[in-house]
Amino acid sequence: GNSVTQMEGPVTLSEEAFLTINCTYTATGYPSLFWYVQYPGEGLQLLLKATKADDKGSNKGFEATYRKETTSFHLEKGSVQVSDSAVYFCALSDGQGGKLIFGQGTELSVKP
Amino acid sequence: GAGVSQTPSNKVTEKGKYVELRCDPISGHTALYWYRQSLGQGPEFLIYFQGTGAADDSGLPNDRFFAVRPEGSVSTLKIQRTERGDSAVYLCASSQWGFTDTQYFGPGTRLTVL
């Protein structure tokens, strides 16, 4: 079945460091891919998405490129801030109604 | 406009009891989803409604779990004979049309079964 695997956390970085959170997926067909973020004390919110191969999703300085050849959707940011501290979830939707299949989440902690 | 709301925010119950969890989606959204999130894990899909009908209930773990959306808006997730393993945060999300539309999540209901 369809699944998503994320790198394990927690990830601890200093402010202005470069961030990569790895995400790979297994799916039949052509899924859409998402990154959701959960800030402390808040609900899940969409960070970015890509709906077809080679698409790049971007938002708030974060980027991820849909790589079909490597079945990956790694999240990157060039310079993290303390306010980026949160749990990040990679997810896919196989288009059959749109249900999301999530990875286990990666906790990011950014220190000043 | 208002986002997805869920009530109660916290629910503590005893093993064997019945509970109902409510979700108010964003007005006009036809698709509604329920997920369950255990500590340290990503959300797991439970059920998806398109309008009033359950289009996909493949994620419901067993027949103690049931959900309804009688008027195509508010939805209620019902759990009978609760077990300690049901303890989790139950999340509701809605989207305008379903499929790859952005899903907007509510704050969740934290269920604790003693």
Side-chain angles (χ1 to χ4, degrees):
Chain A
N2 297 342
S3 65
V4 175
T5 302
Q6 291 180 234
M7 66 184 281
E8 292 191 12
V11 173
T12 302
L13 295 174
S14 297
E15 207 165 21
E16 299 184 2
F18 184 85
L19 168 72
T20 300
I21 300 178
N22 290 338
C23 171
T24 57
Y25 68 91
T26 301
T28 54
Y30 304 94
S32 293
L33 301 174
F34 304 82
W35 277 100
Y36 276 81
V37 59
Q38 191 167 36
Y39 297 104
E42 298 184 18
L44 271 172
Q45 53 186 277
L46 179 68
L47 181 60
L48 53 84
K49 71 178 185 181
T51 57
K52 60 183 188 296
D54 300 325
D55 268 3
K56 178 185 284 188
S58 61
N59 187 26
K60 299 182 180 181
F62 291 88
E63 294 183 339
T65 301
Y66 188 146
R67 301 287 189 199
K68 189 167 175 61
E69 63 276 13
T70 54
T71 62
S72 65
F73 193 56
H74 304 322
L75 183 68
E76 296 182 336
K77 185 174 186 182
S79 176
V80 294
Q81 306 301 311
V82 172
S83 58
D84 294 326
S85 298
V87 182
Y88 292 81
F89 293 92
C90 185
L92 71 81
S93 170
D94 61 8
Q96 296 179 16
K99 71 181 184 189
L100 293 170
I101 297 168
F102 287 87
Q104 76 270 30
T106 302
E107 182 180 1
L108 170 67
S109 178
V110 181
K111 306 297 185 186
Chain B
V4 178
S5 62
Q6 294 185 245
T7 54
S9 55
N10 278 284
K11 176 70 177 178
V12 180
T13 191
E14 294 179 343
K15 181 175 178 295
K17 299 291 188 183
Y18 168 84
V19 296
E20 290 190 350
L21 311 179
R22 176 187 169 105
C23 172
D24 275 279
I26 293 172
S27 178
H29 280 193
T30 62
L32 186 147
Y33 304 81
W34 284 98
Y35 296 85
R36 178 168 71 173
Q37 186 174 19
S38 300
L39 191 63
Q41 301 297 315
E44 292 180 299
F45 168 76
L46 295 176
I47 186 170
Y48 154 57
F49 287 90
Q50 184 61 253
T52 61
D56 182 354
D57 65 357
S58 61
L60 294 178
N62 51 59
D63 61 6
R64 295 187 297 105
F65 288 74
F66 189 72
V68 295
R69 195 186 186 199
E71 298 178 355
S73 177
V74 170
S75 176
T76 304
L77 179 65
K78 308 181 181 195
I79 311 174
Q80 298 177 322
R81 304 184 304 281
T82 52
E83 299 178 356
R84 292 194 180 89
D86 299 335
S87 296
V89 176
Y90 289 81
L91 299 171
C92 177
S94 71
S95 72
Q96 188 162 16
W97 302 114
F99 300 99
T100 57
D101 278 354
T102 297
Q103 293 184 26
Y104 297 88
F105 282 80
T109 294
R110 181 176 298 280
L111 175 66
T112 303
V113 182
L114 301 177

